[in-house]
Amino acid sequence: EADIYQTPRYLVIGTGKKITLECSQTMGHDKMYWYQQDPGMELHLIHYSYGVNSTEKGDLSSESTVSRIRTEHFPLTLESARPSHTSQYLCASSEFDRNTEAFFGQGTRLTVV
Amino acid sequence: GQQVMQIPQYQHVQEGEDFTTYCNSSTTLSNIQWYKQRPGGHPVFLIQLVKSGEVKKQKRLTFQFGEAKKNSSLHITATQTTDVGTYFCADTGTASKLTFGTGTRLQVTL
């Protein structure tokens, strides 16, 4: 059973609002990831982290930002939400060794109106 | 940048038929992982392949890594309705980024 949690599960918010999507894991994993996925489509990596105070941008350009102040916590922030940000956001974590699987949270489905 | 493409994008089979999805990369893959995402769910790890030419089996699922480490495949024998979902390959990458392929959506009907 994976111990990685995302909140909220669903969020409907107005244009221009600032939002933070939370992701926490209790497995002590060093690596964490954020993916954006539209329904039935591919997963796009938008941010990843190797550990505390390490953050990198992924392959898909995103207006969001992330922070990694604690190992277990990897929040994603949108300063000003727009309808184009409507999507599902999936958080994942894995051990630092690349030969290990990634565990995913349940996802946050964001709708910006 | 690296592109990891999967074909087909979508396949609809009758229960009992076989199914194969192919994963092709524009660059040499580091290690390849396979994930399954059920409708409305999140990706769940199936297996990892590390060596060139490696073949692994899990019950009705057979995974293969190409000799040149630029492609991989997943074959399901005698599909069941429980196999419905989207299958993704993912490259662990030299920078450990975990880049996912475009996915193949499988629909199985009775």
Side-chain angles (χ1 to χ4, degrees):
Chain A
E1 186 76 20
D3 296 315
I4 178 165
Y5 308 100
Q6 290 186 243
T7 57
R9 287 292 309 278
Y10 303 92
L11 179 62
V12 180
I13 201 161
T15 298
K17 298 290 186 183
K18 177 180 178 179
I19 57 171
T20 296
L21 308 185
E22 302 288 349
C23 177
S24 294
Q25 51 95 6
T26 58
M27 297 173 281
H29 287 168
D30 288 312
K31 284 157 56 177
M32 296 190 74
Y33 313 85
W34 276 104
Y35 292 89
Q36 184 175 341
Q37 183 184 38
D38 292 326
M41 304 296 284
E42 60 190 288
L43 292 110
H44 294 285
L45 179 66
I46 50 175
H47 298 282
Y48 62 105
S49 167
Y50 292 120
V52 171
N53 294 326
S54 144
T55 61
E56 302 285 344
K57 289 190 179 295
D59 300 315
L60 180 68
S61 175
S62 173
E63 293 165 349
S64 59
T65 59
V66 292
S67 62
R68 191 89 184 274
I69 299 171
R70 303 196 318 263
T71 298
E72 62 270 23
H73 195 213
F74 192 40
L76 181 144
T77 298
L78 275 165
E79 290 293 332
S80 179
R82 294 209 300 266
S84 60
H85 296 138
T86 295
S87 189
Q88 174 164 252
Y89 294 83
L90 287 160
C91 179
S93 73
S94 68
E95 294 179 7
F96 192 79
D97 183 344
R98 67 180 179 183
N99 292 326
T100 58
E101 65 185 278
F103 294 89
F104 280 81
Q106 298 289 331
T108 293
R109 193 169 294 280
L110 173 66
T111 302
V112 184
V113 298
Chain B
Q2 179 190 34
Q3 288 191 319
V4 183
M5 307 296 292
Q6 286 182 249
I7 53 171
Q9 196 173 8
Y10 170 76
Q11 186 149 12
H12 184 178
V13 300
Q14 299 273 329
E15 190 177 47
E17 291 181 338
D18 291 356
F19 160 77
T20 304
T21 171
Y22 299 92
C23 173
N24 298 294
S25 174
S26 56
T27 58
T28 301
L29 298 160
S30 298
N31 301 328
I32 196 82
Q33 297 181 345
W34 284 92
Y35 291 78
K36 176 184 178 181
Q37 184 176 24
R38 293 183 187 275
H42 57 278
V44 175
F45 176 82
L46 294 175
I47 207 160
Q48 175 166 273
L49 304 173
V50 177
K51 299 176 186 174
S52 165
E54 188 172 12
V55 178
K56 285 188 175 180
K57 293 193 176 191
Q58 283 181 351
K59 297 183 181 178
R60 295 178 295 105
L61 277 61
T62 302
F63 304 85
Q64 191 161 359
F65 205 176
E67 292 291 341
K69 296 187 82 173
K70 293 190 78 173
N71 57 76
S72 180
S73 65
L74 157 59
H75 179 81
I76 302 179
T77 304
T79 55
Q80 301 174 358
T81 54
T82 53
D83 295 325
V84 165
T86 301
Y87 293 85
F88 291 98
C89 61
D91 178 29
T92 59
T94 53
S96 301
K97 279 198 315 183
L98 199 59
T99 300
F100 279 77
T102 49
T104 295
R105 186 157 64 97
L106 172 65
Q107 180 64 35
V108 181
T109 52
L110 295 170

